[in-house]
Amino acid sequence: MSFFKDLSLSAFTAGFVAVLVGFTSSVVIVFQAAQAFGATPEIAASWMWALGIGMGLPSIVLSLWWRKPVMIAWSTPGAAVLAVAAGSYGMGEAVGAFIACAALIVLAGATGWFERVMNRIPMAISAALLAGVLARFGLDAFIAAKTALPLVLLMLGTYLVARRLLPRYAVPLTLLVAIAFVAARGELSWSTVHFSLTWPVFTMPVFSWQAIVSLALPLFIVTMASQNLPGVATIRAAGYGDLPVSKLITITGLATLVLAPFGAFALNLGAISAAICMGREAHEDPARRYTAAASCGAIYVV
């Protein structure tokens, strides 16, 4: 199979780093959103199952199909909106809002209006939009210095040295050094972690105009503006502008529609994670970087 011929350690590492960044940067917000609707631990786990499958399978299939890196992610600002706007809505009304949001995403992709809007935005502005997303993410990493200064300094030093000597593996090396440091201080609480398979939990949707207006519409707007917009900018900045944007948006909407009853509130194009798998660190050959996105998808499914 040509995939395994194209796959390299650096590409797989990039896929792993993309998953690492995707989860650690915002998984807490997803749990907060689930808890805001009264989710039990089983339902919260089902949300993660649905999101993992929804991000993973499309990333694998589309990357292999087009042989270009296609990255699907969950809507982090969407989760933040849900956590704040949950109010007195129950889980059934939340799922109904997820389905309504998914229908709007499918409509935006199928009609092509979102791609037409993107075509009117100059590349320089798209690149600036992406830079703003990545800059904020990078600056937020230093917030931890307030509570864990030695760890932050150690990780920063490790990253800078590794970036100089082994640039493609700088992030995983930084992670390994940080884990060793925390383990040496006895701060890894593995005794509280229990591993088991996740079982999807189906929630019957309940549709109401109040939930559609208060939950679905804000979820749709922030997902398109804060996630899909920089996602398309990432694709074009990386030189993959020939990917069919409208089809991609439609597919993310359909995936959300199918998985919404199990907790997939909104799926969209990746931006930060996509930049990791579409850059030179993933592979020198742009034609082989699809293996990084497919690896990322496989790890998401696991």
Side-chain angles (χ1 to χ4, degrees):
M1 185 177 177
S2 60
F3 170 79
F4 293 104
K5 293 181 181 179
D6 293 339
L7 182 63
S8 65
L9 178 60
S10 62
F12 182 82
T13 301
F16 169 75
V17 172
V19 173
L20 183 68
V21 170
F23 272 108
T24 58
S25 63
S26 57
V27 70
V28 173
I29 301 176
V30 176
F31 281 121
Q32 289 175 343
Q35 292 168 357
F37 293 105
T40 63
E42 292 76 17
I43 292 179
S46 179
W47 278 41
M48 298 311 303
W49 175 89
L51 292 169
I53 296 296
M55 294 185 294
L57 286 182
S59 295
I60 296 172
V61 173
L62 298 177
S63 295
L64 294 178
W65 180 263
W66 281 309
R67 296 181 68 84
K68 291 180 174 61
V70 177
M71 299 288 295
I72 307 301
W74 68 51
S75 175
T76 298
V81 166
L82 293 174
V84 173
S88 59
Y89 296 109
M91 189 60 67
E93 290 175 304
V95 169
F98 301 166
I99 292 175
C101 174
L104 291 174
I105 295 175
V106 171
L107 182 64
T111 58
W113 73 261
F114 180 76
E115 185 172 9
R116 288 195 292 271
V117 170
M118 285 301 303
N119 289 337
R120 294 180 178 273
I121 298 178
M123 179 57 70
I125 294 180
S126 297
L129 175 64
L130 174 60
V133 173
L134 297 177
R136 187 184 66 178
F137 180 81
L139 292 173
D140 285 348
F142 291 92
I143 294 178
K146 295 180 180 180
T147 55
L149 182 60
L151 178 61
V152 171
L153 293 177
L154 176 64
M155 294 178 68
L156 177 60
T158 302
Y159 176 80
L160 293 176
V161 173
R163 182 69 181 173
R164 177 69 176 175
L165 302 177
L166 296 168
R168 292 184 180 177
Y169 309 106
V171 173
L173 286 175
T174 303
L175 173 64
L176 291 175
V177 170
I179 292 175
F181 177 78
V182 174
R185 300 181 63 176
E187 296 176 353
L188 287 180
S189 304
W190 285 111
S191 59
T192 62
V193 178
H194 304 282
F195 293 95
S196 63
L197 291 177
T198 302
W199 294 97
V201 178
F202 179 85
T203 299
M204 183 63 68
V206 176
F207 297 97
S208 70
W209 285 111
Q210 293 87 347
I212 290 175
V213 172
S214 300
L215 299 178
L217 287 180
L219 179 60
F220 168 73
I221 292 171
V222 299
T223 297
M224 299 303 291
S226 301
Q227 293 287 122
N228 280 325
L229 201 62
V232 174
T234 303
I235 290 173
R236 293 180 173 177
Y240 298 102
D242 55 340
L243 279 170
V245 172
S246 293
K247 288 184 179 179
L248 290 175
I249 297 296
T250 303
I251 290 170
T252 62
L254 291 174
T256 305
L257 196 63
V258 172
L259 294 168
F262 303 99
F265 51 90
L267 298 168
N268 48 250
L269 300 177
I272 296 173
S273 57
I276 294 171
C277 291
M278 292 180 180
R280 290 186 60 187
E281 289 78 8
H283 205 292
E284 286 291 342
D285 186 356
R288 296 185 178 184
R289 293 173 190 167
Y290 76 96
T291 58
S295 298
C296 175
I299 299 172
Y300 268 135
V301 170
V302 173

